Amino acid sequence: MPKLVTPVGAVCAMFALNGGLFGVWASRIPAFTAEFALTPGTLGLLLLCLAGGAILSFPVAGRLSDRMGAAALTKGLAPLYVTALCLLAVAPNVPLLAAALALYGAFYGAMDVAMNSWGAEVEQARQRHLMSRFHALYSLGAGLGAATGYAAVSLGIAPGLHFLCVGGAATALAWVFARVPWASARAAADEGPRFAIPRGPLLIVGLVALAAAVGEGAMADWSAVFLADVTGTSDALAALGYACFSVAMVVTRLSGPALIATLGPARTAQFSGGFAAAGAALIVWSEGLPVALLGFGLLGAGYATIMPLAFSRAAAGAGRAQGRAIASVATLGYGGMLLGPPLIGALAELVGLRHAFLLLAGLSLLIVLLSGVLQPEREG
């Protein structure tokens, strides 16, 4: 068996696949916008269908992960996920596209919970901090998926053929790496609450995840707008804001295991929150592009380890109900990604876009204050 075909390699492959298929879809959104003549408002509602499908799938996936085993569920969801991606390309009208997006979002979210549960099991078995690296592979996969969209558009390839070829090939490749035996702990069918609602310390863990996720969501939708409108940057250069944010996040996630092993989860989160707060402050008070880009880079580095640490903390001490614990934190975390863009927009109406970014600084300081909750009890 090739050396890369290991439990760690298998989880990395599934994280990369999950991100890659999402990046493939995201790269072709303009094609769907043009084909269906979507207004910004209609597109926003369609994307809300995707997000709603994901959030509704979290508690279901958490219970299934605990009952079936996280590894088995992750592998089983992969072909369903790519099938749902292909269904988007054959939707004949907007209502059916909305339904297809909800289904696609459900498989995306379910696989996210399952693969994080599997990653937590591998992390605990190896007794190493690996979740940050797994999430780096997700970010890398999303970038590569988006790059195939650029290539497909340049070659004049329609979304359907693009989704089928790239999605099918990526899924087959991920399966090669994922074919490892792995026995997941399973919970009884009636064990634990039915809905993934965080309780006790997990509620605080979820709030930490939400604080970082609000910023991640805001970066995707508002970074280019901020640079163009506030600093007067050209539209072409304005795209560098999110690029700097994403590159810093991937690099920090790749170095995350060594960082966490040295500092510990709580102190890593404390420093991360501090970096993010400093980055938000630089953005708010920047007068030109270089300082603003430095701020975006600090935000990416600061947010990079928070979600992986939150998932690791959710799994620690959860026993055989890891899936439901991770699903509960995911509900708040991904809810924060949905909340971020409209929150920034609403604040921008009241105080201007520049000062609206102070929200990110405040939430980053909240991460610093609550960082102690990310230290697993077994290590504290």
Side-chain angles (χ1 to χ4, degrees):
M1 182 178 291
K3 186 176 181 181
L4 287 177
V5 183
T6 64
V8 173
V11 175
C12 284
M14 286 302 173
F15 269 79
L17 176 64
N18 187 273
L21 294 183
F22 188 82
V24 166
W25 146 250
S27 71
R28 302 310 299 266
I29 290 177
F32 285 86
T33 302
E35 180 179 352
F36 293 102
L38 301 176
T39 65
T42 303
L43 177 60
L45 289 175
L46 286 172
L47 295 179
L48 195 59
C49 290
L50 188 158
I55 290 176
L56 289 175
S57 76
F58 289 156
V60 177
R63 293 186 68 83
L64 287 176
S65 180
D66 292 334
R67 293 176 62 181
M68 296 173 54
L73 182 61
T74 303
K75 296 176 189 179
L77 285 168
L80 297 176
Y81 182 22
V82 72
T83 301
L85 173 68
C86 293
L87 286 177
L88 297 176
V90 297
N93 52 50
V94 172
L96 286 178
L97 178 60
L101 278 169
L103 182 67
Y104 171 78
F107 286 125
Y108 165 72
M111 186 174 172
D112 194 280
V113 168
M115 71 185 189
N116 273 287
S117 298
W118 188 10
E121 292 174 0
V122 172
E123 184 179 62
Q124 291 168 9
R126 295 294 182 269
Q127 296 185 334
R128 294 171 55 201
H129 297 287
L130 297 170
M131 195 66 83
S132 178
R133 185 168 297 167
F134 295 151
H135 281 253
L137 266 294
Y138 171 90
S139 300
L140 183 60
L144 291 175
T148 68
Y150 174 79
V153 171
S154 300
L155 295 172
I157 298 174
L161 183 59
H162 174 207
F163 291 173
L164 181 62
C165 293
V166 175
T171 303
L173 181 61
W175 258 86
V176 170
F177 288 98
R179 56 185 180 87
V180 293
W182 186 265
S184 297
R186 301 186 184 187
D190 60 350
E191 190 175 311
R194 184 166 298 276
F195 297 103
I197 302 172
R199 293 173 171 82
L202 276 190
L203 178 59
I204 309 302
V205 174
L207 289 176
V208 172
L210 183 144
V214 166
E216 287 192 52
M219 286 299 97
D221 286 6
W222 287 103
S223 57
V225 177
F226 182 95
L227 289 176
D229 291 357
V230 177
T231 66
T233 304
S234 68
D235 288 347
L237 290 177
L240 291 176
Y242 192 64
C244 286
F245 174 85
S246 300
V247 169
M249 178 168 278
V250 171
V251 170
T252 306
R253 281 179 168 172
L254 286 174
S255 59
L259 186 66
I260 297 167
T262 301
L263 298 176
R267 286 187 65 81
T268 299
Q270 192 174 47
F271 280 112
S272 295
F275 274 111
L282 278 178
I283 293 170
V284 170
W285 282 291
S286 64
E287 296 296 337
L289 182 63
V291 175
L293 291 181
L294 176 60
F296 285 119
L298 287 174
L299 271 179
Y303 290 148
T305 61
I306 300 302
M307 195 70 80
L309 283 172
F311 284 141
S312 292
R313 175 61 183 87
R320 288 180 292 179
Q322 287 186 351
R324 269 162 281 185
I326 287 174
S328 69
V329 170
T331 300
L332 281 183
Y334 288 96
M337 287 191 183
L338 292 177
L339 190 63
L343 260 181
I344 293 294
L347 284 173
E349 289 289 329
L350 295 174
V351 298
L353 184 55
R354 179 189 292 274
H355 293 102
F357 270 59
L358 284 173
L359 172 67
L360 306 186
L363 290 174
S364 299
L365 292 176
L366 183 65
I367 293 173
V368 175
L369 293 174
L370 301 179
S371 58
V373 77
L374 296 180
Q375 188 75 29
E377 294 176 4
R378 66 184 182 189
E379 295 180 29

